[in-house]
C-alpha cells in the first residue's frame, strides 16, 4: 500500500514547523536551512522533501541554487479543514441544545 | 504549548440547560438521535439502532448534496453518567470505510461522553482518540486536534513570534 504523506503529518513534526517558520521569513537554499539546525544535512533535506511533497514548500531555481519558499495557501487549506472538523462538533452540540429545549418545552407540566 | 502535552486527543466540553438523564437519553433512542445528530441542514436517517453494549447504530447523513454513512459501535453504557462508542465512516451496508477527508484520517475513533449535572445544568464532556490506527493516521489526527484545540493559532502564533523576534 502506498503511504501518502499528508499535510497534517507534515506539520506534526517540530523540526518541520521550525523549517516553515524560517522559510516564511525569506526563501532559502537547503544549505542555509540546514545551517539553522544541529541535525545532519540529510535529515533536514528529508524534512524539506516531505514539506515539498505536500506543497507546504515550493521550489524555485536561481542559477545553480534551489530556493525554497513557504506556500501560505496550503496552510490555509489545513486551517480550513481543522475549522471544518471543529465546526462539525460545535454544530452537533448546537443541534442537541435545540432538541433539548424543544423536548423540555413539550414536557413542561401545566400549572 | 509544550511538546509533552500533545496526544491528549479531542476534548470538547459543553453545558446544556437540561437534566442529565434527558441529555443522556438524547443519545439512546433512534428517534431522538435522528432528530438532533449531525450539523444543522444535515438530515439524518437511522437505518439501525441498537443501544446496548456491543450494539450498533448505522445512519445516513445528507447535506451539501453529499451522502455520508456512519456507524457507532456502543461500548460502555452507564445511564445517565457515561457513554462510550467507537465511531466510523461506513458504506450503506454498515461496513467501515475511509473518511471523505482528503487526507489519511483514522478509520475508528473511540469517543467517551461523560454527563455531570449541577443545579439543573448538565456538563457534557466529549473526548476522542483513534484506535486501531496506523502511526501515520495517529500523527495526522493528533496534529489536526492539536491545531484545532489551539484554534489553529498555535502554529501561526509560533510563526508570528518568530517573525517578531527575527525582525528585532
Amino acid at each position: 500500500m502506498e503511504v501518502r504523506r499528508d499535510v497534517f503529518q507534515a506539520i506534526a513534526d517540530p523540526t518541520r514547523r521550525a523549517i516553515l517558520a524560517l522559510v516564511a521569513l525569506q526563501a532559502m537554499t537547503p544549505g542555509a536551512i540546514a545551517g539553522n539546525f544541529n541535525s545532519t544535512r540529510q535529515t533536514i533535506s528529508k524534512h524539506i522533501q516531505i514539506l515539498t511533497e505536500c506543497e507546504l514548500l515550493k521550489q524555485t531555481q536561481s542559477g545553480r541554487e534551489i530556493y525554497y519558499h513557504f506556500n501560505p495557501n496550503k496552510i490555509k487549506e489545513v486551517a480550513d479543514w481543522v475549522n471544518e472538523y471543529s465546526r462539525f462538533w460545535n454544530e452537533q452540540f448546537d443541534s442537541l441544545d435545540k432538541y433539548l429545549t424543544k423536548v423540555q418545552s413539550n414536557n413542561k407540566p401545566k400549572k | 504549548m509544550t511538546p509533552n502535552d500533545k496526544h491528549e486527543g479531542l476534548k470538547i466540553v459543553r453545558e446544556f440547560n437540561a437534566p442529565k438523564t434527558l441529555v443522556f437519553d438524547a443519545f439512546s433512542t433512534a428517534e431522538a438521535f435522528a432528530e438532533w445528530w449531525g450539523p444543522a441542514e444535515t438530515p439524518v436517517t437511522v437505518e439501525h439502532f441498537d443501544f446496548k453494549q456491543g450494539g450498533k447504530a448505522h445512519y445516513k447523513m445528507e447535506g451539501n448534496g453529499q451522502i455520508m454513512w456512519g456507524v457507532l459501535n456502543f461500548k460502555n453504557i452507564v445511564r445517565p453518567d457515561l457513554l462510550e462508542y467507537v465511531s466510523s465512516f461506513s458504506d450503506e451496508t454498515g461496513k467501515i470505510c475511509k473518511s471523505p477527508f482528503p487526507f489519511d484520517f483514522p478509520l475508528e475513533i473511540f469517543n467517551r461522553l461523560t454527563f455531570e449535572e449541577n443545579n439543573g445544568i448538565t456538563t457534557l464532556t466529549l473526548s476522542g482518540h483513534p484506535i486501531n490506527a496506523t502511526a501515520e493516521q495517529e500523527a495526522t489526527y493528533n496534529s489536526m486536534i492539536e491545531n484545532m484545540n489551539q484554534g489553529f493559532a498555535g502554529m501561526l502564533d509560533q510563526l508570528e513570534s518568530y517573525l517578531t523576534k527575527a525582525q528585532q
Side-chain angles (χ1 to χ4, degrees):
Chain A
M1 203 182 98
E2 184 199 350
V3 178
R4 205 167 53 84
R5 302 244 178 243
D6 68 48
V7 81
F8 287 102
Q9 287 162 27
I11 62 170
D13 182 277
T15 307
R16 292 199 283 273
R17 284 172 175 248
I19 293 174
L20 288 177
L22 267 178
V23 176
L25 264 186
Q26 58 176 101
M28 289 171 96
T29 63
I33 297 171
N36 286 278
F37 297 91
N38 293 324
S39 325
T40 65
R41 205 145 155 184
Q42 282 105 309
T43 308
I44 297 303
S45 113
K46 184 75 197 160
H47 285 312
I48 294 175
Q49 190 198 329
I50 291 168
L51 291 168
T52 311
E53 275 173 18
C54 56
E55 298 169 43
L56 286 162
L57 292 182
K58 284 190 292 196
Q59 306 180 345
T60 52
Q61 183 101 26
S62 169
R64 290 174 50 209
E65 299 278 16
I66 289 173
Y67 282 84
Y68 286 93
H69 305 253
F70 178 60
N71 179 6
N73 291 337
K74 199 67 190 181
I75 277 292
K76 191 179 169 299
E77 200 181 293
V78 179
D80 288 348
W81 272 105
V82 170
N83 289 338
E84 186 72 17
Y85 195 66
S86 135
R87 199 167 59 98
F88 172 82
W89 281 109
N90 285 327
E91 288 191 6
Q92 185 100 300
F93 287 150
D94 288 346
S95 180
L96 175 56
D97 200 29
K98 265 189 224 147
Y99 167 79
L100 292 168
T101 308
K102 196 185 94 181
V103 171
Q104 289 187 104
S105 65
N106 289 350
N107 292 350
K108 209 155 264 171
K110 294 198 176 79
K111 290 191 179 160
Chain B
M1 182 186 80
T2 66
N4 299 329
D5 63 13
K6 61 182 179 185
H7 307 324
E8 271 189 354
L10 173 72
K11 190 169 181 189
I12 297 178
V13 181
R14 180 88 179 236
E15 286 185 349
F16 295 97
N17 189 11
K20 70 177 173 180
T21 42
L22 196 65
V23 183
F24 184 93
D25 288 346
F27 291 85
S28 70
T29 66
E31 294 70 33
F33 182 86
E35 230 181 286
W36 71 268
W37 188 263
E41 315 297 318
T42 311
V44 166
T45 317
V46 176
E47 285 289 305
H48 179 83
F49 202 89
D50 188 13
F51 191 74
K52 62 167 195 236
Q53 186 164 357
K56 201 186 217 187
H58 180 214
Y59 62 94
K60 178 165 76 170
M61 284 195 291
E62 292 165 90
N64 299 324
Q66 254 191 321
I67 295 183
M68 282 191 296
W69 291 88
V71 288
L72 307 179
N73 281 293
F74 297 114
K75 302 291 177 191
N76 219 353
I77 300 178
V78 185
R79 182 178 188 263
D81 301 309
L82 173 77
L83 170 59
E84 293 177 341
Y85 61 90
V86 175
S87 61
S88 305
F89 289 97
S90 78
D91 62 13
E92 69 276 10
T93 69
K95 191 168 151 276
I96 290 173
C97 64
K98 274 182 61 172
S99 78
F101 305 141
F103 44 83
D104 194 13
F105 194 76
L107 294 177
E108 295 176 283
I109 306 288
F110 180 89
N111 301 276
R112 172 180 291 125
L113 294 166
T114 56
F115 304 77
E116 282 169 274
E117 185 180 331
N118 234 319
N119 298 324
I121 306 283
T122 298
T123 305
L124 177 59
T125 306
L126 164 76
S127 57
H129 60 85
I131 54 168
N132 304 323
T134 64
E136 288 80 12
Q137 289 170 343
E138 286 208 15
T140 296
Y141 181 86
N142 288 328
S143 174
M144 199 168 157
I145 298 306
E146 196 182 315
N147 284 306
M148 184 171 114
N149 287 346
Q150 292 153 26
F152 199 71
M155 179 162 180
L156 297 176
D157 280 355
Q158 209 179 343
L159 179 61
E160 198 174 69
S161 65
Y162 180 83
L163 292 175
T164 312
K165 203 170 67 188
Q167 281 165 1
Q168 279 167 1

